[in-house]
Amino acid sequence: QVQLVESGGGLVQAGDSLSLSCAPSERTASIYATAWFRQAPGKEREFVAAISWSGVDTAYPNSVKGRFTISRDNAKNTVYLQMNSLRPEDTAVYYCAASSRTTYARPNENQYDYWGQGTQVTVSS
């Protein structure tokens, strides 16, 4: 079973930037498309960003489009989420997810097979 490890969360002020990273605990060839989801207290987990295996295609919901950027470095086996112009409503636990079945950037949770433990992002007003 592939284990994903997220890093980079923390406490920032509104308008600040933060970068998250996600990598498997050991190098594996079974990870293709990768995505970020988040879950705020009392809310359902929601899609944040996805990137195809090639890195060419990405997907974002309107709530983060233009502020968040997902990227990947396959040589380092790492996916990044650059978050700019953060808002208090971005406060959540952020989860990395990877698929062993699809190479496309998909927004649906059921496309992803491996999940990280999550990293807390808190944005104060």
Side-chain angles (χ1 to χ4, degrees), residues 78-106:
T78 301
V79 172
Y80 306 94
L81 182 68
Q82 178 64 40
M83 304 183 292
N84 297 329
S85 302
L86 282 162
R87 305 167 181 169
E89 54 263 40
D90 294 318
T91 295
V93 176
Y94 283 69
Y95 296 92
C96 177
S99 178
S100 65
R101 294 170 284 141
T102 183
T103 61
Y104 299 103
R106 302 293 193 199

mmCIF file with all atom_site columns, all heavy atoms in Angstrom, residues 78-106:
data_model
loop_
_atom_site.group_PDB
_atom_site.id
_atom_site.type_symbol
_atom_site.label_atom_id
_atom_site.label_alt_id
_atom_site.label_comp_id
_atom_site.label_asym_id
_atom_site.label_entity_id
_atom_site.label_seq_id
_atom_site.pdbx_PDB_ins_code
_atom_site.Cartn_x
_atom_site.Cartn_y
_atom_site.Cartn_z
_atom_site.occupancy
_atom_site.B_iso_or_equiv
_atom_site.pdbx_formal_charge
_atom_site.auth_seq_id
_atom_site.auth_comp_id
_atom_site.auth_asym_id
_atom_site.auth_atom_id
_atom_site.pdbx_PDB_model_num
ATOM 1   N N   . THR A 1 78  ? 7.204   14.174 -6.555  1.00 0.00 ? 78  THR A N   1
ATOM 2   C CA  . THR A 1 78  ? 6.557   15.102 -5.630  1.00 0.00 ? 78  THR A CA  1
ATOM 3   C C   . THR A 1 78  ? 5.550   15.984 -6.363  1.00 0.00 ? 78  THR A C   1
ATOM 4   O O   . THR A 1 78  ? 5.789   16.401 -7.491  1.00 0.00 ? 78  THR A O   1
ATOM 5   C CB  . THR A 1 78  ? 7.612   15.994 -4.935  1.00 0.00 ? 78  THR A CB  1
ATOM 6   O OG1 . THR A 1 78  ? 8.537   15.161 -4.237  1.00 0.00 ? 78  THR A OG1 1
ATOM 7   C CG2 . THR A 1 78  ? 6.947   16.944 -3.943  1.00 0.00 ? 78  THR A CG2 1
ATOM 8   N N   . VAL A 1 79  ? 4.432   16.223 -5.692  1.00 0.00 ? 79  VAL A N   1
ATOM 9   C CA  . VAL A 1 79  ? 3.401   17.131 -6.186  1.00 0.00 ? 79  VAL A CA  1
ATOM 10  C C   . VAL A 1 79  ? 3.304   18.306 -5.218  1.00 0.00 ? 79  VAL A C   1
ATOM 11  O O   . VAL A 1 79  ? 3.399   18.128 -4.003  1.00 0.00 ? 79  VAL A O   1
ATOM 12  C CB  . VAL A 1 79  ? 2.046   16.420 -6.311  1.00 0.00 ? 79  VAL A CB  1
ATOM 13  C CG1 . VAL A 1 79  ? 0.936   17.402 -6.639  1.00 0.00 ? 79  VAL A CG1 1
ATOM 14  C CG2 . VAL A 1 79  ? 2.123   15.343 -7.382  1.00 0.00 ? 79  VAL A CG2 1
ATOM 15  N N   . TYR A 1 80  ? 3.101   19.497 -5.770  1.00 0.00 ? 80  TYR A N   1
ATOM 16  C CA  . TYR A 1 80  ? 3.063   20.712 -4.964  1.00 0.00 ? 80  TYR A CA  1
ATOM 17  C C   . TYR A 1 80  ? 1.719   21.422 -5.133  1.00 0.00 ? 80  TYR A C   1
ATOM 18  O O   . TYR A 1 80  ? 1.071   21.319 -6.166  1.00 0.00 ? 80  TYR A O   1
ATOM 19  C CB  . TYR A 1 80  ? 4.178   21.668 -5.404  1.00 0.00 ? 80  TYR A CB  1
ATOM 20  C CG  . TYR A 1 80  ? 5.554   21.054 -5.403  1.00 0.00 ? 80  TYR A CG  1
ATOM 21  C CD1 . TYR A 1 80  ? 6.075   20.492 -6.563  1.00 0.00 ? 80  TYR A CD1 1
ATOM 22  C CD2 . TYR A 1 80  ? 6.315   21.013 -4.246  1.00 0.00 ? 80  TYR A CD2 1
ATOM 23  C CE1 . TYR A 1 80  ? 7.333   19.911 -6.577  1.00 0.00 ? 80  TYR A CE1 1
ATOM 24  C CE2 . TYR A 1 80  ? 7.577   20.438 -4.250  1.00 0.00 ? 80  TYR A CE2 1
ATOM 25  C CZ  . TYR A 1 80  ? 8.082   19.889 -5.414  1.00 0.00 ? 80  TYR A CZ  1
ATOM 26  O OH  . TYR A 1 80  ? 9.329   19.314 -5.418  1.00 0.00 ? 80  TYR A OH  1
ATOM 27  N N   . LEU A 1 81  ? 1.344   22.170 -4.109  1.00 0.00 ? 81  LEU A N   1
ATOM 28  C CA  . LEU A 1 81  ? 0.184   23.044 -4.194  1.00 0.00 ? 81  LEU A CA  1
ATOM 29  C C   . LEU A 1 81  ? 0.614   24.411 -3.680  1.00 0.00 ? 81  LEU A C   1
ATOM 30  O O   . LEU A 1 81  ? 0.867   24.576 -2.487  1.00 0.00 ? 81  LEU A O   1
ATOM 31  C CB  . LEU A 1 81  ? -0.990  22.512 -3.374  1.00 0.00 ? 81  LEU A CB  1
ATOM 32  C CG  . LEU A 1 81  ? -2.261  23.365 -3.467  1.00 0.00 ? 81  LEU A CG  1
ATOM 33  C CD1 . LEU A 1 81  ? -2.846  23.280 -4.888  1.00 0.00 ? 81  LEU A CD1 1
ATOM 34  C CD2 . LEU A 1 81  ? -3.307  22.911 -2.448  1.00 0.00 ? 81  LEU A CD2 1
ATOM 35  N N   . GLN A 1 82  ? 0.730   25.362 -4.587  1.00 0.00 ? 82  GLN A N   1
ATOM 36  C CA  . GLN A 1 82  ? 1.065   26.735 -4.226  1.00 0.00 ? 82  GLN A CA  1
ATOM 37  C C   . GLN A 1 82  ? -0.241  27.491 -3.999  1.00 0.00 ? 82  GLN A C   1
ATOM 38  O O   . GLN A 1 82  ? -1.070  27.565 -4.910  1.00 0.00 ? 82  GLN A O   1
ATOM 39  C CB  . GLN A 1 82  ? 1.880   27.401 -5.334  1.00 0.00 ? 82  GLN A CB  1
ATOM 40  C CG  . GLN A 1 82  ? 2.224   28.859 -5.063  1.00 0.00 ? 82  GLN A CG  1
ATOM 41  C CD  . GLN A 1 82  ? 3.127   29.040 -3.858  1.00 0.00 ? 82  GLN A CD  1
ATOM 42  O OE1 . GLN A 1 82  ? 4.055   28.264 -3.631  1.00 0.00 ? 82  GLN A OE1 1
ATOM 43  N NE2 . GLN A 1 82  ? 2.861   30.077 -3.071  1.00 0.00 ? 82  GLN A NE2 1
ATOM 44  N N   . MET A 1 83  ? -0.406  28.038 -2.813  1.00 0.00 ? 83  MET A N   1
ATOM 45  C CA  . MET A 1 83  ? -1.634  28.734 -2.453  1.00 0.00 ? 83  MET A CA  1
ATOM 46  C C   . MET A 1 83  ? -1.321  30.202 -2.191  1.00 0.00 ? 83  MET A C   1
ATOM 47  O O   . MET A 1 83  ? -0.542  30.520 -1.281  1.00 0.00 ? 83  MET A O   1
ATOM 48  C CB  . MET A 1 83  ? -2.258  28.092 -1.207  1.00 0.00 ? 83  MET A CB  1
ATOM 49  C CG  . MET A 1 83  ? -2.530  26.606 -1.378  1.00 0.00 ? 83  MET A CG  1
ATOM 50  S SD  . MET A 1 83  ? -3.338  25.865 0.049   1.00 0.00 ? 83  MET A SD  1
ATOM 51  C CE  . MET A 1 83  ? -2.032  25.968 1.266   1.00 0.00 ? 83  MET A CE  1
ATOM 52  N N   . ASN A 1 84  ? -1.876  31.065 -2.998  1.00 0.00 ? 84  ASN A N   1
ATOM 53  C CA  . ASN A 1 84  ? -1.668  32.507 -2.852  1.00 0.00 ? 84  ASN A CA  1
ATOM 54  C C   . ASN A 1 84  ? -2.977  33.193 -2.453  1.00 0.00 ? 84  ASN A C   1
ATOM 55  O O   . ASN A 1 84  ? -4.063  32.629 -2.605  1.00 0.00 ? 84  ASN A O   1
ATOM 56  C CB  . ASN A 1 84  ? -1.167  33.096 -4.168  1.00 0.00 ? 84  ASN A CB  1
ATOM 57  C CG  . ASN A 1 84  ? 0.178   32.535 -4.591  1.00 0.00 ? 84  ASN A CG  1
ATOM 58  O OD1 . ASN A 1 84  ? 1.012   32.177 -3.749  1.00 0.00 ? 84  ASN A OD1 1
ATOM 59  N ND2 . ASN A 1 84  ? 0.399   32.454 -5.890  1.00 0.00 ? 84  ASN A ND2 1
ATOM 60  N N   . SER A 1 85  ? -2.857  34.411 -1.972  1.00 0.00 ? 85  SER A N   1
ATOM 61  C CA  . SER A 1 85  ? -4.033  35.210 -1.586  1.00 0.00 ? 85  SER A CA  1
ATOM 62  C C   . SER A 1 85  ? -4.979  34.398 -0.712  1.00 0.00 ? 85  SER A C   1
ATOM 63  O O   . SER A 1 85  ? -6.192  34.341 -0.959  1.00 0.00 ? 85  SER A O   1
ATOM 64  C CB  . SER A 1 85  ? -4.760  35.703 -2.842  1.00 0.00 ? 85  SER A CB  1
ATOM 65  O OG  . SER A 1 85  ? -3.899  36.478 -3.651  1.00 0.00 ? 85  SER A OG  1
ATOM 66  N N   . LEU A 1 86  ? -4.439  33.770 0.305   1.00 0.00 ? 86  LEU A N   1
ATOM 67  C CA  . LEU A 1 86  ? -5.241  32.894 1.155   1.00 0.00 ? 86  LEU A CA  1
ATOM 68  C C   . LEU A 1 86  ? -6.315  33.669 1.897   1.00 0.00 ? 86  LEU A C   1
ATOM 69  O O   . LEU A 1 86  ? -6.129  34.833 2.282   1.00 0.00 ? 86  LEU A O   1
ATOM 70  C CB  . LEU A 1 86  ? -4.343  32.146 2.128   1.00 0.00 ? 86  LEU A CB  1
ATOM 71  C CG  . LEU A 1 86  ? -3.600  30.961 1.490   1.00 0.00 ? 86  LEU A CG  1
ATOM 72  C CD1 . LEU A 1 86  ? -2.418  30.544 2.366   1.00 0.00 ? 86  LEU A CD1 1
ATOM 73  C CD2 . LEU A 1 86  ? -4.538  29.790 1.279   1.00 0.00 ? 86  LEU A CD2 1
ATOM 74  N N   . ARG A 1 87  ? -7.440  33.015 2.100   1.00 0.00 ? 87  ARG A N   1
ATOM 75  C CA  . ARG A 1 87  ? -8.601  33.587 2.776   1.00 0.00 ? 87  ARG A CA  1
ATOM 76  C C   . ARG A 1 87  ? -8.943  32.743 3.993   1.00 0.00 ? 87  ARG A C   1
ATOM 77  O O   . ARG A 1 87  ? -8.630  31.550 4.028   1.00 0.00 ? 87  ARG A O   1
ATOM 78  C CB  . ARG A 1 87  ? -9.790  33.608 1.823   1.00 0.00 ? 87  ARG A CB  1
ATOM 79  C CG  . ARG A 1 87  ? -9.528  34.326 0.509   1.00 0.00 ? 87  ARG A CG  1
ATOM 80  C CD  . ARG A 1 87  ? -10.628 34.024 -0.484  1.00 0.00 ? 87  ARG A CD  1
ATOM 81  N NE  . ARG A 1 87  ? -10.406 34.687 -1.767  1.00 0.00 ? 87  ARG A NE  1
ATOM 82  C CZ  . ARG A 1 87  ? -11.105 34.432 -2.878  1.00 0.00 ? 87  ARG A CZ  1
ATOM 83  N NH1 . ARG A 1 87  ? -12.083 33.534 -2.836  1.00 0.00 ? 87  ARG A NH1 1
ATOM 84  N NH2 . ARG A 1 87  ? -10.838 35.080 -3.980  1.00 0.00 ? 87  ARG A NH2 1
ATOM 85  N N   . PRO A 1 88  ? -9.621  33.316 4.968   1.00 0.00 ? 88  PRO A N   1
ATOM 86  C CA  . PRO A 1 88  ? -10.030 32.510 6.138   1.00 0.00 ? 88  PRO A CA  1
ATOM 87  C C   . PRO A 1 88  ? -10.842 31.272 5.744   1.00 0.00 ? 88  PRO A C   1
ATOM 88  O O   . PRO A 1 88  ? -10.724 30.232 6.394   1.00 0.00 ? 88  PRO A O   1
ATOM 89  C CB  . PRO A 1 88  ? -10.858 33.502 6.957   1.00 0.00 ? 88  PRO A CB  1
ATOM 90  C CG  . PRO A 1 88  ? -10.262 34.828 6.629   1.00 0.00 ? 88  PRO A CG  1
ATOM 91  C CD  . PRO A 1 88  ? -9.904  34.744 5.168   1.00 0.00 ? 88  PRO A CD  1
ATOM 92  N N   . GLU A 1 89  ? -11.619 31.371 4.689   1.00 0.00 ? 89  GLU A N   1
ATOM 93  C CA  . GLU A 1 89  ? -12.427 30.224 4.253   1.00 0.00 ? 89  GLU A CA  1
ATOM 94  C C   . GLU A 1 89  ? -11.593 29.106 3.626   1.00 0.00 ? 89  GLU A C   1
ATOM 95  O O   . GLU A 1 89  ? -12.117 28.033 3.332   1.00 0.00 ? 89  GLU A O   1
ATOM 96  C CB  . GLU A 1 89  ? -13.524 30.659 3.274   1.00 0.00 ? 89  GLU A CB  1
ATOM 97  C CG  . GLU A 1 89  ? -13.038 31.437 2.078   1.00 0.00 ? 89  GLU A CG  1
ATOM 98  C CD  . GLU A 1 89  ? -13.176 32.945 2.267   1.00 0.00 ? 89  GLU A CD  1
ATOM 99  O OE1 . GLU A 1 89  ? -12.906 33.429 3.384   1.00 0.00 ? 89  GLU A OE1 1
ATOM 100 O OE2 . GLU A 1 89  ? -13.531 33.627 1.280   1.00 0.00 ? 89  GLU A OE2 1
ATOM 101 N N   . ASP A 1 90  ? -10.298 29.345 3.431   1.00 0.00 ? 90  ASP A N   1
ATOM 102 C CA  . ASP A 1 90  ? -9.402  28.274 2.968   1.00 0.00 ? 90  ASP A CA  1
ATOM 103 C C   . ASP A 1 90  ? -8.925  27.398 4.118   1.00 0.00 ? 90  ASP A C   1
ATOM 104 O O   . ASP A 1 90  ? -8.252  26.386 3.898   1.00 0.00 ? 90  ASP A O   1
ATOM 105 C CB  . ASP A 1 90  ? -8.186  28.867 2.252   1.00 0.00 ? 90  ASP A CB  1
ATOM 106 C CG  . ASP A 1 90  ? -8.545  29.585 0.962   1.00 0.00 ? 90  ASP A CG  1
ATOM 107 O OD1 . ASP A 1 90  ? -9.387  29.056 0.208   1.00 0.00 ? 90  ASP A OD1 1
ATOM 108 O OD2 . ASP A 1 90  ? -7.977  30.666 0.709   1.00 0.00 ? 90  ASP A OD2 1
ATOM 109 N N   . THR A 1 91  ? -9.264  27.792 5.336   1.00 0.00 ? 91  THR A N   1
ATOM 110 C CA  . THR A 1 91  ? -8.870  27.013 6.502   1.00 0.00 ? 91  THR A CA  1
ATOM 111 C C   . THR A 1 91  ? -9.474  25.619 6.454   1.00 0.00 ? 91  THR A C   1
ATOM 112 O O   . THR A 1 91  ? -10.682 25.459 6.304   1.00 0.00 ? 91  THR A O   1
ATOM 113 C CB  . THR A 1 91  ? -9.311  27.724 7.787   1.00 0.00 ? 91  THR A CB  1
ATOM 114 O OG1 . THR A 1 91  ? -8.609  28.964 7.904   1.00 0.00 ? 91  THR A OG1 1
ATOM 115 C CG2 . THR A 1 91  ? -9.036  26.873 9.015   1.00 0.00 ? 91  THR A CG2 1
ATOM 116 N N   . ALA A 1 92  ? -8.610  24.606 6.529   1.00 0.00 ? 92  ALA A N   1
ATOM 117 C CA  . ALA A 1 92  ? -9.069  23.216 6.436   1.00 0.00 ? 92  ALA A CA  1
ATOM 118 C C   . ALA A 1 92  ? -7.871  22.290 6.617   1.00 0.00 ? 92  ALA A C   1
ATOM 119 O O   . ALA A 1 92  ? -6.718  22.742 6.634   1.00 0.00 ? 92  ALA A O   1
ATOM 120 C CB  . ALA A 1 92  ? -9.714  22.954 5.074   1.00 0.00 ? 92  ALA A CB  1
ATOM 121 N N   . VAL A 1 93  ? -8.159  21.012 6.723   1.00 0.00 ? 93  VAL A N   1
ATOM 122 C CA  . VAL A 1 93  ? -7.119  19.994 6.603   1.00 0.00 ? 93  VAL A CA  1
ATOM 123 C C   . VAL A 1 93  ? -7.015  19.652 5.121   1.00 0.00 ? 93  VAL A C   1
ATOM 124 O O   . VAL A 1 93  ? -8.023  19.340 4.485   1.00 0.00 ? 93  VAL A O   1
ATOM 125 C CB  . VAL A 1 93  ? -7.446  18.747 7.431   1.00 0.00 ? 93  VAL A CB  1
ATOM 126 C CG1 . VAL A 1 93  ? -6.376  17.673 7.206   1.00 0.00 ? 93  VAL A CG1 1
ATOM 127 C CG2 . VAL A 1 93  ? -7.558  19.097 8.904   1.00 0.00 ? 93  VAL A CG2 1
ATOM 128 N N   . TYR A 1 94  ? -5.818  19.718 4.601   1.00 0.00 ? 94  TYR A N   1
ATOM 129 C CA  . TYR A 1 94  ? -5.578  19.461 3.181   1.00 0.00 ? 94  TYR A CA  1
ATOM 130 C C   . TYR A 1 94  ? -5.002  18.062 3.003   1.00 0.00 ? 94  TYR A C   1
ATOM 131 O O   . TYR A 1 94  ? -4.029  17.700 3.664   1.00 0.00 ? 94  TYR A O   1
ATOM 132 C CB  . TYR A 1 94  ? -4.631  20.506 2.606   1.00 0.00 ? 94  TYR A CB  1
ATOM 133 C CG  . TYR A 1 94  ? -5.312  21.826 2.351   1.00 0.00 ? 94  TYR A CG  1
ATOM 134 C CD1 . TYR A 1 94  ? -5.742  22.626 3.413   1.00 0.00 ? 94  TYR A CD1 1
ATOM 135 C CD2 . TYR A 1 94  ? -5.563  22.272 1.055   1.00 0.00 ? 94  TYR A CD2 1
ATOM 136 C CE1 . TYR A 1 94  ? -6.397  23.828 3.189   1.00 0.00 ? 94  TYR A CE1 1
ATOM 137 C CE2 . TYR A 1 94  ? -6.209  23.479 0.817   1.00 0.00 ? 94  TYR A CE2 1
ATOM 138 C CZ  . TYR A 1 94  ? -6.629  24.244 1.884   1.00 0.00 ? 94  TYR A CZ  1
ATOM 139 O OH  . TYR A 1 94  ? -7.287  25.437 1.653   1.00 0.00 ? 94  TYR A OH  1
ATOM 140 N N   . TYR A 1 95  ? -5.625  17.308 2.083   1.00 0.00 ? 95  TYR A N   1
ATOM 141 C CA  . TYR A 1 95  ? -5.226  15.924 1.834   1.00 0.00 ? 95  TYR A CA  1
ATOM 142 C C   . TYR A 1 95  ? -4.697  15.776 0.405   1.00 0.00 ? 95  TYR A C   1
ATOM 143 O O   . TYR A 1 95  ? -5.297  16.282 -0.546  1.00 0.00 ? 95  TYR A O   1
ATOM 144 C CB  . TYR A 1 95  ? -6.421  14.988 1.991   1.00 0.00 ? 95  TYR A CB  1
ATOM 145 C CG  . TYR A 1 95  ? -6.994  14.948 3.381   1.00 0.00 ? 95  TYR A CG  1
ATOM 146 C CD1 . TYR A 1 95  ? -8.033  15.803 3.745   1.00 0.00 ? 95  TYR A CD1 1
ATOM 147 C CD2 . TYR A 1 95  ? -6.501  14.058 4.333   1.00 0.00 ? 95  TYR A CD2 1
ATOM 148 C CE1 . TYR A 1 95  ? -8.567  15.773 5.024   1.00 0.00 ? 95  TYR A CE1 1
ATOM 149 C CE2 . TYR A 1 95  ? -7.035  14.018 5.615   1.00 0.00 ? 95  TYR A CE2 1
ATOM 150 C CZ  . TYR A 1 95  ? -8.061  14.884 5.947   1.00 0.00 ? 95  TYR A CZ  1
ATOM 151 O OH  . TYR A 1 95  ? -8.592  14.850 7.219   1.00 0.00 ? 95  TYR A OH  1
ATOM 152 N N   . CYS A 1 96  ? -3.628  15.034 0.293   1.00 0.00 ? 96  CYS A N   1
ATOM 153 C CA  . CYS A 1 96  ? -3.110  14.654 -1.001  1.00 0.00 ? 96  CYS A CA  1
ATOM 154 C C   . CYS A 1 96  ? -3.692  13.293 -1.368  1.00 0.00 ? 96  CYS A C   1
ATOM 155 O O   . CYS A 1 96  ? -3.855  12.425 -0.501  1.00 0.00 ? 96  CYS A O   1
ATOM 156 C CB  . CYS A 1 96  ? -1.584  14.572 -0.913  1.00 0.00 ? 96  CYS A CB  1
ATOM 157 S SG  . CYS A 1 96  ? -0.767  14.018 -2.406  1.00 0.00 ? 96  CYS A SG  1
ATOM 158 N N   . ALA A 1 97  ? -4.009  13.101 -2.646  1.00 0.00 ? 97  ALA A N   1
ATOM 159 C CA  . ALA A 1 97  ? -4.558  11.831 -3.116  1.00 0.00 ? 97  ALA A CA  1
ATOM 160 C C   . ALA A 1 97  ? -3.938  11.472 -4.454  1.00 0.00 ? 97  ALA A C   1
ATOM 161 O O   . ALA A 1 97  ? -3.688  12.357 -5.276  1.00 0.00 ? 97  ALA A O   1
ATOM 162 C CB  . ALA A 1 97  ? -6.079  11.939 -3.255  1.00 0.00 ? 97  ALA A CB  1
ATOM 163 N N   . ALA A 1 98  ? -3.698  10.185 -4.664  1.00 0.00 ? 98  ALA A N   1
ATOM 164 C CA  . ALA A 1 98  ? -3.070  9.740  -5.902  1.00 0.00 ? 98  ALA A CA  1
ATOM 165 C C   . ALA A 1 98  ? -3.828  8.552  -6.471  1.00 0.00 ? 98  ALA A C   1
ATOM 166 O O   . ALA A 1 98  ? -4.394  7.746  -5.733  1.00 0.00 ? 98  ALA A O   1
ATOM 167 C CB  . ALA A 1 98  ? -1.618  9.372  -5.650  1.00 0.00 ? 98  ALA A CB  1
ATOM 168 N N   . SER A 1 99  ? -3.800  8.459  -7.780  1.00 0.00 ? 99  SER A N   1
ATOM 169 C CA  . SER A 1 99  ? -4.516  7.387  -8.461  1.00 0.00 ? 99  SER A CA  1
ATOM 170 C C   . SER A 1 99  ? -3.551  6.386  -9.081  1.00 0.00 ? 99  SER A C   1
ATOM 171 O O   . SER A 1 99  ? -2.522  6.772  -9.643  1.00 0.00 ? 99  SER A O   1
ATOM 172 C CB  . SER A 1 99  ? -5.408  7.978  -9.560  1.00 0.00 ? 99  SER A CB  1
ATOM 173 O OG  . SER A 1 99  ? -6.064  6.945  -10.261 1.00 0.00 ? 99  SER A OG  1
ATOM 174 N N   . SER A 1 100 ? -3.926  5.115  -8.974  1.00 0.00 ? 100 SER A N   1
ATOM 175 C CA  . SER A 1 100 ? -3.167  4.063  -9.649  1.00 0.00 ? 100 SER A CA  1
ATOM 176 C C   . SER A 1 100 ? -3.860  3.633  -10.932 1.00 0.00 ? 100 SER A C   1
ATOM 177 O O   . SER A 1 100 ? -3.394  2.716  -11.617 1.00 0.00 ? 100 SER A O   1
ATOM 178 C CB  . SER A 1 100 ? -3.025  2.849  -8.721  1.00 0.00 ? 100 SER A CB  1
ATOM 179 O OG  . SER A 1 100 ? -4.301  2.286  -8.470  1.00 0.00 ? 100 SER A OG  1
ATOM 180 N N   . ARG A 1 101 ? -4.987  4.323  -11.259 1.00 0.00 ? 101 ARG A N   1
ATOM 181 C CA  . ARG A 1 101 ? -5.811  3.878  -12.379 1.00 0.00 ? 101 ARG A CA  1
ATOM 182 C C   . ARG A 1 101 ? -5.937  4.891  -13.496 1.00 0.00 ? 101 ARG A C   1
ATOM 183 O O   . ARG A 1 101 ? -6.113  4.527  -14.651 1.00 0.00 ? 101 ARG A O   1
ATOM 184 C CB  . ARG A 1 101 ? -7.212  3.529  -11.878 1.00 0.00 ? 101 ARG A CB  1
ATOM 185 C CG  . ARG A 1 101 ? -7.251  2.326  -10.942 1.00 0.00 ? 101 ARG A CG  1
ATOM 186 C CD  . ARG A 1 101 ? -8.606  2.197  -10.309 1.00 0.00 ? 101 ARG A CD  1
ATOM 187 N NE  . ARG A 1 101 ? -8.787  3.175  -9.252  1.00 0.00 ? 101 ARG A NE  1
ATOM 188 C CZ  . ARG A 1 101 ? -9.921  3.825  -9.020  1.00 0.00 ? 101 ARG A CZ  1
ATOM 189 N NH1 . ARG A 1 101 ? -10.966 3.626  -9.783  1.00 0.00 ? 101 ARG A NH1 1
ATOM 190 N NH2 . ARG A 1 101 ? -10.004 4.660  -8.005  1.00 0.00 ? 101 ARG A NH2 1
ATOM 191 N N   . THR A 1 102 ? -5.879  6.189  -13.186 1.00 0.00 ? 102 THR A N   1
ATOM 192 C CA  . THR A 1 102 ? -6.066  7.198  -14.212 1.00 0.00 ? 102 THR A CA  1
ATOM 193 C C   . THR A 1 102 ? -4.873  8.148  -14.289 1.00 0.00 ? 102 THR A C   1
ATOM 194 O O   . THR A 1 102 ? -4.259  8.466  -13.268 1.00 0.00 ? 102 THR A O   1
ATOM 195 C CB  . THR A 1 102 ? -7.355  8.013  -13.975 1.00 0.00 ? 102 THR A CB  1
ATOM 196 O OG1 . THR A 1 102 ? -7.515  8.948  -15.050 1.00 0.00 ? 102 THR A OG1 1
ATOM 197 C CG2 . THR A 1 102 ? -7.293  8.787  -12.665 1.00 0.00 ? 102 THR A CG2 1
ATOM 198 N N   . THR A 1 103 ? -4.576  8.598  -15.492 1.00 0.00 ? 103 THR A N   1
ATOM 199 C CA  . THR A 1 103 ? -3.514  9.586  -15.686 1.00 0.00 ? 103 THR A CA  1
ATOM 200 C C   . THR A 1 103 ? -4.089  10.991 -15.856 1.00 0.00 ? 103 THR A C   1
ATOM 201 O O   . THR A 1 103 ? -3.338  11.946 -15.962 1.00 0.00 ? 103 THR A O   1
ATOM 202 C CB  . THR A 1 103 ? -2.675  9.249  -16.930 1.00 0.00 ? 103 THR A CB  1
ATOM 203 O OG1 . THR A 1 103 ? -3.528  9.263  -18.084 1.00 0.00 ? 103 THR A OG1 1
ATOM 204 C CG2 . THR A 1 103 ? -2.016  7.884  -16.794 1.00 0.00 ? 103 THR A CG2 1
ATOM 205 N N   . TYR A 1 104 ? -5.423  11.093 -15.844 1.00 0.00 ? 104 TYR A N   1
ATOM 206 C CA  . TYR A 1 104 ? -6.079  12.373 -16.102 1.00 0.00 ? 104 TYR A CA  1
ATOM 207 C C   . TYR A 1 104 ? -6.375  13.128 -14.815 1.00 0.00 ? 104 TYR A C   1
ATOM 208 O O   . TYR A 1 104 ? -6.596  12.531 -13.767 1.00 0.00 ? 104 TYR A O   1
ATOM 209 C CB  . TYR A 1 104 ? -7.381  12.149 -16.869 1.00 0.00 ? 104 TYR A CB  1
ATOM 210 C CG  . TYR A 1 104 ? -7.176  11.500 -18.199 1.00 0.00 ? 104 TYR A CG  1
ATOM 211 C CD1 . TYR A 1 104 ? -7.447  10.148 -18.384 1.00 0.00 ? 104 TYR A CD1 1
ATOM 212 C CD2 . TYR A 1 104 ? -6.694  12.219 -19.286 1.00 0.00 ? 104 TYR A CD2 1
ATOM 213 C CE1 . TYR A 1 104 ? -7.252  9.535  -19.604 1.00 0.00 ? 104 TYR A CE1 1
ATOM 214 C CE2 . TYR A 1 104 ? -6.494  11.618 -20.516 1.00 0.00 ? 104 TYR A CE2 1
ATOM 215 C CZ  . TYR A 1 104 ? -6.770  10.282 -20.669 1.00 0.00 ? 104 TYR A CZ  1
ATOM 216 O OH  . TYR A 1 104 ? -6.564  9.681  -21.874 1.00 0.00 ? 104 TYR A OH  1
ATOM 217 N N   . ALA A 1 105 ? -6.446  14.457 -14.912 1.00 0.00 ? 105 ALA A N   1
ATOM 218 C CA  . ALA A 1 105 ? -6.747  15.307 -13.762 1.00 0.00 ? 105 ALA A CA  1
ATOM 219 C C   . ALA A 1 105 ? -8.253  15.276 -13.501 1.00 0.00 ? 105 ALA A C   1
ATOM 220 O O   . ALA A 1 105 ? -9.016  15.942 -14.181 1.00 0.00 ? 105 ALA A O   1
ATOM 221 C CB  . ALA A 1 105 ? -6.287  16.732 -14.036 1.00 0.00 ? 105 ALA A CB  1
ATOM 222 N N   . ARG A 1 106 ? -8.666  14.501 -12.505 1.00 0.00 ? 106 ARG A N   1
ATOM 223 C CA  . ARG A 1 106 ? -10.083 14.307 -12.209 1.00 0.00 ? 106 ARG A CA  1
ATOM 224 C C   . ARG A 1 106 ? -10.438 14.921 -10.868 1.00 0.00 ? 106 ARG A C   1
ATOM 225 O O   . ARG A 1 106 ? -9.665  14.860 -9.929  1.00 0.00 ? 106 ARG A O   1
ATOM 226 C CB  . ARG A 1 106 ? -10.421 12.816 -12.164 1.00 0.00 ? 106 ARG A CB  1
ATOM 227 C CG  . ARG A 1 106 ? -10.102 12.056 -13.418 1.00 0.00 ? 106 ARG A CG  1
ATOM 228 C CD  . ARG A 1 106 ? -10.968 12.472 -14.578 1.00 0.00 ? 106 ARG A CD  1
ATOM 229 N NE  . ARG A 1 106 ? -10.870 11.535 -15.697 1.00 0.00 ? 106 ARG A NE  1
ATOM 230 C CZ  . ARG A 1 106 ? -11.218 11.831 -16.932 1.00 0.00 ? 106 ARG A CZ  1
ATOM 231 N NH1 . ARG A 1 106 ? -11.677 13.030 -17.221 1.00 0.00 ? 106 ARG A NH1 1
ATOM 232 N NH2 . ARG A 1 106 ? -11.097 10.913 -17.875 1.00 0.00 ? 106 ARG A NH2 1
#
